DNA sequence: TAGTGGTCTAGACCACCCC
DNA sequence: GGGTGGTCTAGACCACTAA
């Protein structure tokens, strides 16, 4: 582990432990550099991480301060959907029931989202997923077959992402999501166990690999009364 | 402007212009350092920015490459709600009609969200907002009176954020949001002009100042068929 | 004016990829 | 083995804040 990461962890610990209390000024960068026996640039880099996390803020000419920790507790709620539900719901009971598993040619919409031609086959995976036996999610996923060779119904029932990261060694770069509210469709009544007139929360996303190739287009539908989508937004400049 | 910002802008321009094509390797850091007449650390910092934007990715030992530009076009859709609707909708016709403007003591929920005591008054602002005469938004906002002295109905009808940043000189640090789908309430039928049974997309958020003090708690309700919420998520490590 | 954080340098060493 | 990106240093200058 790099020095700046170690220092970053230690300082974060000091904030959590109360050694650097809320609203207080922490030691200046030169003092920290001497104390940790590193150069000031390394201290700066360590503090950059904590600033990105919203734990500290800095004022040129004044000092470095611990924020009112506002964004701290909420950090745990952060969602990285490209890690897959299996990772997110660690420690909880996740069951995925595969409703459809097929290979087909992409519709124009899918072609556009996945940036592929009409003759490149895609997997179509429809799953009903449940968390702790009650939270229901209906998920429709498309992946280019070329990118994810050897995918099977078995992976769909456990964790597709574990297969992609573990077996294929692919790395994710990010995702673009749109969250909408929608009226329930026939499928929702059936698989989400919701009533006529209940709204549905839909998360539509394209997940990209590190090099920018789209790897997944999916729509995830949730009962309005069981799930919300959380976003943490930390301003960069100023 | 710092050197690394200038270089970052120039390299970004080269990518957009096609001088550094999609999927290609760009010159190595030493070459760039010589070409720009700066040290390699400065080049590194410039490239860090572009990597955060999803324009390039780097492989230790191999080189720096332009991504398949996947995340590029979508960047414009990024939403920074703490800049306020007025800033977001620049160039479009935004009208805010103030339905309620009051000062009151906070409910337990508001106390918790804004991290204040029950005896600290808050502004309550309810507004019906429209964009280009058709997109309707119903917004309920609470702000600690202490933090935003002198707020008036006039600000609520134009831009509260312009007042806070411009007049008061406060700086935002970030926000925490939850997006839900909901059934329409009586208010929605009236002010969003939606029909019975139409779902509503609600964005609930707490906006924080740079030092972590909560500055706003608000709920923004939108017709399901006119608005979605967009999130761009770029992975940091790997 | 003294002290703070932001930037920048010239050089060094290392881990890693590809030939 | 040669080239790549990641880290780190010791010191310097600057912009800004606060007393």
């Amino acid at each position: 582990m790099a020095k700046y990461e170690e220092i970053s962890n230690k300082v974060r610990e000091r904030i959590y432990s109360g050694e650097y209390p809320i609203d207080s000024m922490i030691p200046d960068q030169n003092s920290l550099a001497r104390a940790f026996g590193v150069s000031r640039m390394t201290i700066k880099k360590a503090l950059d991480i904590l600033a990105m996390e919203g734990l500290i803020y800095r004022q040129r000419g004044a000092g470095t301060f611990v924020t009112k920790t506002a964004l701290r507790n909420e950090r745990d709620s952060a969602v990285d959907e490209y890690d897959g539900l299996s990772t997110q719901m660690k420690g909880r009971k996740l069951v995925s029931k595969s409703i459809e598993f097929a290979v087909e040619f992409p519709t124009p919409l899918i072609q556009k989202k996945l940036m592929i031609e009409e003759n490149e086959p895609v997997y179509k995976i429809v799953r009903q997923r449940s968390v702790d036996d009650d939270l229901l999610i209906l998920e429709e996923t498309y992946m280019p077959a070329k990118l994810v060779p050897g995918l099977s119904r078995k992976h769909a029932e456990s964790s597709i992402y574990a297969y992609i990261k573990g077996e294929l060694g692919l790395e994710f770069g990010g995702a673009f999501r749109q969250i909408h509210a929608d009226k329930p469709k026939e499928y929702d009544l059936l698989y989400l166990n919701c009533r006529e007139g209940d709204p549905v929360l839909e998360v539509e996303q394209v997940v990209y690999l590190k090099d920018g190739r789209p790897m997944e287009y999916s729509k995830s539908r949730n009962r309005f009364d069981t799930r919300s989508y959380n976003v943490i937004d930390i301003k960069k400049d100023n």
Side-chain angles (χ1 to χ4, degrees), chain A:
Chain A
M1 182 181 293
K3 282 188 189 175
Y4 70 88
E5 284 179 287
E6 283 177 9
I7 293 172
S8 170
N9 290 340
K10 280 180 188 162
V11 174
R12 187 186 303 102
E13 207 40 60
R14 290 183 187 174
I15 293 175
Y16 283 145
S17 75
E19 186 178 338
Y20 295 156
I22 300 304
D23 241 10
S24 70
M25 191 172 104
I26 74 174
D28 66 276
Q29 296 180 354
N30 280 311
S31 307
L32 287 173
R34 278 194 303 275
F36 281 108
V38 300
S39 78
R40 203 186 128 212
M41 284 289 284
T42 303
I43 294 292
K44 168 79 161 45
K45 213 168 171 188
L47 296 184
D48 283 346
I49 295 176
L50 302 178
M52 289 266 293
E53 293 174 355
L55 287 177
I56 60 171
Y57 69 99
R58 292 166 288 188
Q59 287 221 332
R60 210 195 189 97
T64 301
F65 305 86
V66 180
T67 58
K68 285 208 182 312
T69 180
L71 301 175
R72 183 164 64 186
N73 304 327
E74 271 106 4
R75 272 190 59 226
D76 306 321
S77 333
V79 187
D80 284 337
E81 303 262 343
Y82 44 62
D83 277 338
L85 257 187
S86 316
T87 314
Q88 280 173 63
M89 296 299 175
K90 197 167 292 190
R92 304 174 71 175
K93 188 182 165 200
L94 175 68
V95 178
S96 298
K97 192 173 132 195
S98 167
I99 297 170
E100 190 179 343
F101 186 94
V103 179
E104 56 187 41
F105 290 113
T107 63
L109 173 70
I110 309 284
Q111 288 168 39
K112 187 164 161 262
K113 295 287 187 184
L114 293 180
M115 291 169 60
I116 56 177
E117 303 299 321
E118 59 183 339
N119 58 358
E120 293 186 56
V122 296
Y123 293 104
K124 175 181 182 182
I125 303 150
V126 182
R127 294 183 289 182
Q128 181 195 44
R129 320 187 72 175
S130 71
V131 179
D132 289 342
D133 295 321
D134 71 332
L135 200 170
L136 288 175
I137 303 164
L138 180 58
E139 225 175 67
E140 186 179 346
T141 306
Y142 298 88
M143 295 180 165
K146 209 167 59 178
L147 277 190
V148 196
L151 194 66
S152 76
R153 196 167 205 122
K154 187 166 142 277
H155 299 124
E157 299 267 355
S158 55
S159 173
I160 294 182
Y161 277 66
Y163 174 66
I164 290 175
K165 287 164 95 164
E167 305 283 318
L168 300 179
L170 295 176
E171 288 182 4
F172 299 102
F176 178 66
R177 308 195 179 94
Q178 294 178 69
I179 296 101
H180 346 260
D182 196 7
K183 292 185 179 184
K185 305 248 165 73
E186 197 185 331
Y187 261 34
D188 303 313
L189 301 180
L190 190 57
Y191 293 112
L192 292 181
N193 195 24
C194 63
R195 281 156 303 188
E196 193 90 41
D198 276 3
V200 169
L201 181 72
E202 183 183 81
V203 179
E204 186 182 1
Q205 70 172 353
V206 179
V207 180
Y208 300 89
L209 294 178
K210 204 169 137 189
D211 65 6
R213 282 177 296 173
M215 199 222 50
E216 164 188 325
Y217 169 65
S218 69
K219 290 201 265 190
S220 160
R221 293 173 74 87
N222 305 266
R223 280 179 52 160
F224 84 105
D225 53 352
T226 56
R227 210 155 182 241
S228 67
Y229 185 87
N230 299 333
V231 186
I232 293 168
D233 193 347
I234 298 183
K235 214 164 160 69
K236 285 161 189 79
D237 36 56
N238 265 346

